[in-house]
Amino acid sequence: MTFSKIFNASLIYSTFRTATPIIYAALCAAITQQADILNIGTEGIMLFGAFMAVAVSYLTGSWALGVLVAMLGGLCIAMVMAVSHLRFRSDICAIGMGVNMFAVAITKFLLNAWLKQSGTFADPKIIAIPKVHIKALEKVKFLNDTFNDWTITEWFVILLVIILWFVFYKTVWGLRIRAVGRMAQAAQTAGINVNSMKYQAIAISGLVGGLAGAHLSLGYSAMFVENMTNARGFMGVAAMYFGGAHPIFTALGCLFFGFTDSIGARLQAYGVPSQLVLLMPYVATIAILAISMATKKAMETKRKSSLITAA
């Protein structure tokens, strides 16, 4: 085993490529978390979006239309969650788990009934999200291996992280959504419509979750496989906790998942047992949650200590 074959320029792209669908999922969860809503249904929204993107791309020959319909599908599911939680006061975690189970069932049913397939659907008629090739980068091997031939949605996720950071921390809407999440009664007293803000947060998260699924099935691959999200939605929620729902820190947590998965895939070529390789992302999830919870507890303890000292 030579480290130069494992740790090289292509590992950077491999890490980012693997992390991208998780970043989308994490941003989906981060948007609602800013409004103090835990979006456990991220996995289901993502899976439904992945199916709709492939189905529409196959039937229409348009990847853009596939992405758009996937986002609208994510929006519809998110609004079901919103109405159930905000209008009928149902527990958000129970709704999220219900959405996840519904997505597994409905995508399997539609795959059989609509596309006449089972298990996996791949076809040359599926139009994948285009890759961006920059000729100028060909002259420098490192830049070519690292940044060339990214899909449009891989470039867009970087922009989305920056946009969400700006919206959350530099706009009035972001201030209001954070106020609703931290102290809803005070926000209501200040004249902010709490329910309206929460509806908006869930709706936007549904659009991002649908985009996450579209990228997974049309950008990361060009097919649909039953339950193809493979817990990426839950990894996104874990990364969101790690980053404190801050878009940039959340994305960094997702890159850790991508790094462990990419390293694992390379180690498998050198005889490392596949069971260990498949286990690595889940171990990383537990580690991320443990670190984030320990950090949060330490910060709370420090804050209490400072308050006692000040008193």
Side-chain angles (χ1 to χ4, degrees):
M1 183 189 302
T2 58
F3 284 99
S4 61
K5 291 184 178 179
I6 298 174
F7 298 95
N8 51 36
S10 63
L11 177 62
I12 299 174
Y13 171 61
S14 178
T15 295
F16 185 76
R17 181 175 183 272
T18 305
T20 299
I22 306 174
I23 295 174
Y24 276 117
L27 294 178
C28 171
I31 293 165
T32 55
Q33 191 63 32
Q34 290 286 356
D36 195 28
I37 298 172
L38 178 59
N39 194 351
I40 294 293
T42 299
E43 180 89 358
I45 293 172
M46 191 176 178
L47 182 60
F48 187 70
F51 173 80
M52 293 306 296
V54 161
V56 172
S57 177
Y58 167 74
L59 294 171
T60 66
S62 170
W63 66 268
L65 192 57
V67 170
L68 177 62
V69 173
M71 292 176 69
L72 292 176
L75 173 63
C76 290
I77 292 183
M79 292 316 294
V80 169
M81 294 177 62
V83 171
S84 300
H85 176 56
L86 300 174
R87 175 69 177 84
F88 297 104
R89 305 299 177 187
S90 301
D91 182 77
I92 190 63
C93 290
I95 300 166
M97 293 307 298
V99 162
N100 293 339
M101 291 187 285
F102 170 76
V104 172
I106 194 66
T107 52
K108 185 174 183 178
F109 170 76
L110 291 175
L111 186 62
N112 290 322
W114 194 7
L115 301 177
K116 312 300 180 184
Q117 297 289 330
S118 60
T120 302
F121 179 69
D123 192 279
K125 292 182 181 177
I126 297 173
I127 307 300
I129 296 171
K131 295 183 176 182
V132 179
H133 185 80
I134 305 170
K135 268 193 161 300
L137 297 181
E138 293 177 355
K139 299 175 182 179
V140 183
K141 189 178 186 306
F142 173 81
L143 295 178
N144 186 56
D145 292 344
T146 306
F147 298 108
N148 232 341
D149 296 321
W150 287 21
T151 63
I152 292 173
T153 42
E154 285 171 339
W155 283 111
F156 180 71
V157 78
I158 299 174
L159 181 61
L160 183 61
V161 168
I162 297 170
I163 290 171
L164 287 180
W165 167 81
F166 181 82
V167 169
F168 286 159
Y169 300 104
K170 302 295 179 180
T171 66
V172 174
W173 187 89
L175 178 62
R176 288 177 178 175
I177 202 72
R178 288 186 291 120
V180 166
R182 294 183 182 182
M183 199 170 290
Q185 288 184 344
Q188 189 78 46
T189 304
I192 299 171
N193 189 326
V194 172
N195 264 10
S196 175
M197 295 302 295
K198 289 189 175 185
Y199 271 114
Q200 291 173 44
I202 296 175
I204 296 169
S205 77
L207 292 171
V208 175
L211 179 57
H215 169 75
L216 184 63
S217 60
L218 291 182
Y220 187 76
S221 60
M223 65 174 70
F224 179 81
V225 180
E226 289 181 8
N227 202 21
M228 71 182 299
T229 47
N230 197 26
R232 286 181 175 88
F234 293 112
M235 290 180 188
V237 173
M240 178 275 295
Y241 268 114
F242 172 79
H246 188 291
I248 295 174
F249 298 146
T250 293
L252 292 175
C254 295
L255 289 175
F256 179 68
F257 290 127
F259 179 74
T260 56
D261 194 54
S262 299
I263 289 292
R266 293 177 179 226
L267 289 175
Q268 193 172 355
Y270 291 95
V272 176
S274 60
Q275 295 88 344
L276 182 61
V277 170
L278 293 172
L279 188 65
M280 288 179 70
Y282 303 101
V283 172
T285 303
I286 296 170
I288 283 285
L289 283 174
I291 292 169
S292 59
M293 292 302 157
T295 304
K296 185 177 180 181
K297 187 175 180 180
M299 289 178 66
E300 287 178 354
T301 303
K302 185 178 179 181
R303 186 180 64 180
K304 289 179 181 177
S305 298
S306 64
L307 288 173
I308 292 170
T309 303

